[in-house]
Amino acid sequence: MNTTLNLLKPFKLGAYELPNRMVMAPLTRMRAKPGNIPQEMNQVYYTQRASAGLIISEATQISPQGLGYPNTPGIHSPEQIQGWKKVTQAVHENNGRIFLQLWHVGRISHPSLQPNGELPVAPSAIAPEGMANTFSGEQPFVTPRALETEEIPAIVEQYRQGAKNALEAGFDGVEIHSANGYLLDQFLHDGSNKRTDQYGGSIENRARFLMEVLEAVTSVWDADKVGVRLSPSSTFGTVFDSDTEALFNYVVSKLNPFNLAYLHIVEPRIQGNVTVEDDGNGLGASYFRSIYQGTIITAGGYTRETGEAVLEQDDADLVAYGRLFIANPDLPKRFALNAPLNEYDRSTFYGGDQRGYTDYPFLDDSKVLTTV
Ligand SMILES: Cc1cc2nc3c(=O)[nH]c(=O)nc-3n(C[C@H](O)[C@H](O)[C@H](O)COP(=O)(O)O)c2cc1C
């Protein structure tokens, strides 16, 4: 094995000794069973990828209201906790580590996915552009209902309960999803947050919800087992800000005193799940290096070579791979051997069965798990 790669060197992440610096990025795959419960093929999928230094689970809703896509898993019912328990056990038996990504989609939903067909909720009654992904195909987003000030503490409590449930389910930590235009990101940006209460207006007010969620989650988990994901340069989900730099300078500097496990930055060349033209003006991990004092994970379009380079330049500590991990369950081994990679098939990213999920071949086919 080629152990000279920085990507393959161990790293101390808070309480954990990671065997390498390759993180499996959070990846929504829409393959939970009815009730939004993780099932056996999900165990197989994560177990196949247990050689990642750290796995971050697919985004997982903290409440029925937090749901925005069919068949994404939750962490709010006993059955979901049991389903996840089997996933974490299987990953641990294969010497892996897995954090749960805590999620509330806010307005990126549709009444057909909401309890009692209600409107999705958001900081303000502003519809995002584009289409919702529903059980009956794509449907235009609706104008969401603005959350009442009094409703926000209950959502913070749902994050706390989600964090507790993740602990019970045997996860090694949690990541707060404050990226990609979902609820917390909707609150951060002044294009989607027009509130006049203590959760809107100034940057400090717009960041308040995220800070309250962080307080809640770190009351359950030691902070060195909690990460936060931000996508400062992304407009995915129709989030815009009049001063992105000031917004994220503030948010990132406010994270410092928490002494978190990590800050996870999505690079400017990524909009949600696709790579776009990068004009070079965005805010990526290298920008935040001087502002954030702890561990930084960078994500977005990395290859073996560019991932190695970002570590070499010390712009980040860990590199997350999304699409490459979808198609290459044994990605660290392939990088070690500089072996060819399987190509990913976008048509099987979201929903479906084992195809395009657990059937990507390992270098050594005898390692392919069909069950755990
Ligand atoms: C199929 C798919 C699902 C994704 N689901 C999530 C998700 O649940 N949570 C999240 O924060 N990002 C999600 N992303 C974004 C990835 O985590 C990552 O930031 C992005 O794919 C860029 O990394 P890559 O170029 O290595 O794939 C998803 C991306 C893809 C392709």
Side-chain angles (χ1 to χ4, degrees):
M1 285 230 178
N2 177 355
T3 49
T4 57
L5 282 182
N6 288 307
L7 283 166
L8 298 175
K9 289 186 182 152
F11 184 80
K12 194 167 175 340
L13 182 75
Y16 301 109
E17 190 71 43
L18 310 186
N20 61 59
R21 298 171 188 218
M22 295 172 63
V23 174
M24 178 175 161
L27 293 159
T28 290
R29 305 303 307 277
M30 293 166 53
R31 284 170 169 87
K33 69 180 180 185
N36 305 90
I37 300 166
Q39 56 179 325
E40 195 188 338
M41 71 168 157
N42 310 133
Q43 296 169 42
V44 175
Y45 165 77
Y46 282 112
T47 307
Q48 287 177 334
R49 289 156 181 78
S51 67
L54 176 69
I55 296 172
I56 302 167
S57 83
E58 63 208 274
T60 300
Q61 55 272 358
I62 54 164
S63 68
Q65 186 192 62
L67 174 74
Y69 302 80
N71 304 321
T72 55
I75 189 74
H76 51 85
S77 79
E79 296 77 17
Q80 292 163 354
I81 297 171
Q82 287 313 311
W84 277 122
K85 219 174 239 179
K86 293 183 188 151
V87 172
T88 62
Q89 275 166 2
V91 168
H92 291 151
E93 277 160 20
N94 286 271
N95 303 316
R97 292 137 303 277
I98 180 167
F99 277 33
L100 179 81
Q101 194 184 45
L102 294 167
W103 195 28
H104 190 308
V105 299
R107 65 184 185 172
I108 305 296
S109 186
H110 188 267
S112 65
L113 296 165
Q114 289 291 305
N116 310 315
E118 287 163 15
L119 286 177
V121 297
S124 301
I126 303 169
E129 289 163 15
M131 307 291 268
N133 193 325
T134 76
F135 279 102
S136 46
E138 292 198 332
Q139 298 194 57
F141 283 119
V142 298
T143 301
R145 177 177 72 78
L147 283 163
E148 300 292 338
T149 310
E150 300 72 42
E151 289 179 280
I152 293 177
I155 301 182
V156 173
E157 283 314 303
Q158 289 166 356
Y159 276 97
R160 191 193 313 272
Q161 188 61 47
K164 281 186 189 159
N165 294 349
L167 197 57
E168 189 186 335
F171 282 95
D172 299 297
V174 290
E175 176 176 287
I176 297 167
H177 194 350
S178 187
N180 296 348
Y182 295 111
L183 185 65
L184 293 170
D185 209 18
Q186 291 158 27
F187 268 80
L188 292 180
H189 288 85
D190 62 12
S192 44
N193 182 346
K194 306 284 185 196
R195 301 179 71 88
T196 53
D197 63 3
Q198 67 267 37
Y199 295 97
S202 67
I203 289 176
E204 185 183 355
N205 278 357
R206 285 182 272 129
R208 187 179 311 281
F209 189 14
L210 171 59
M211 296 306 149
E212 289 180 358
V213 168
L214 260 162
E215 292 284 355
V217 170
T218 55
S219 75
V220 175
W221 287 87
D222 289 340
D224 68 352
K225 295 177 180 167
V226 176
V228 172
R229 191 170 219 218
L230 300 174
S231 52
S233 299
S234 178
T235 55
F236 189 73
T238 331
V239 284
F240 295 95
D241 201 84
S242 55
D243 193 345
T244 307
E245 208 168 311
L247 171 62
F248 285 97
N249 283 348
Y250 176 83
V251 171
V252 169
S253 63
K254 287 291 277 188
L255 297 180
N256 276 323
F258 283 96
N259 292 316
L260 298 172
Y262 62 80
L263 166 63
H264 191 172
I265 295 285
V266 180
E267 293 296 319
R269 60 182 161 269
I270 296 296
Q271 293 284 343
N273 56 9
V274 292
T275 307
V276 296
E277 197 71 45
D278 182 2
D279 63 9
N281 297 322
L283 309 178
S286 65
Y287 174 83
F288 292 106
R289 199 55 154 165
S290 58
I291 304 173
Y292 189 65
Q293 288 153 9
T295 296
I296 295 185
I297 304 180
T298 177
Y302 285 105
T303 62
R304 180 178 186 269
E305 286 65 36
T306 59
E308 190 59 17
V310 76
L311 294 185
E312 189 65 43
Q313 289 154 20
D314 196 29
D315 284 340
D317 302 288
L318 300 165
V319 183
Y321 292 90
R323 288 165 289 183
L324 295 190
F325 256 120
I326 288 179
N328 297 277
D330 51 357
L331 193 61
K333 182 173 177 185
R334 287 174 191 257
F335 276 14
L337 301 174
N338 205 8
L341 301 181
N342 301 321
E343 280 183 23
Y344 57 79
D345 172 9
R346 192 168 270 277
S347 73
T348 52
F349 277 1
Y350 298 108
D353 55 19
Q354 284 83 357
R355 280 167 293 176
Y357 191 54
T358 53
D359 62 355
Y360 283 107
F362 284 65
L363 273 178
D364 172 1
D365 271 343
S366 64
K367 292 260 183 63
V368 178
L369 301 173
T370 50
T371 184
V372 284

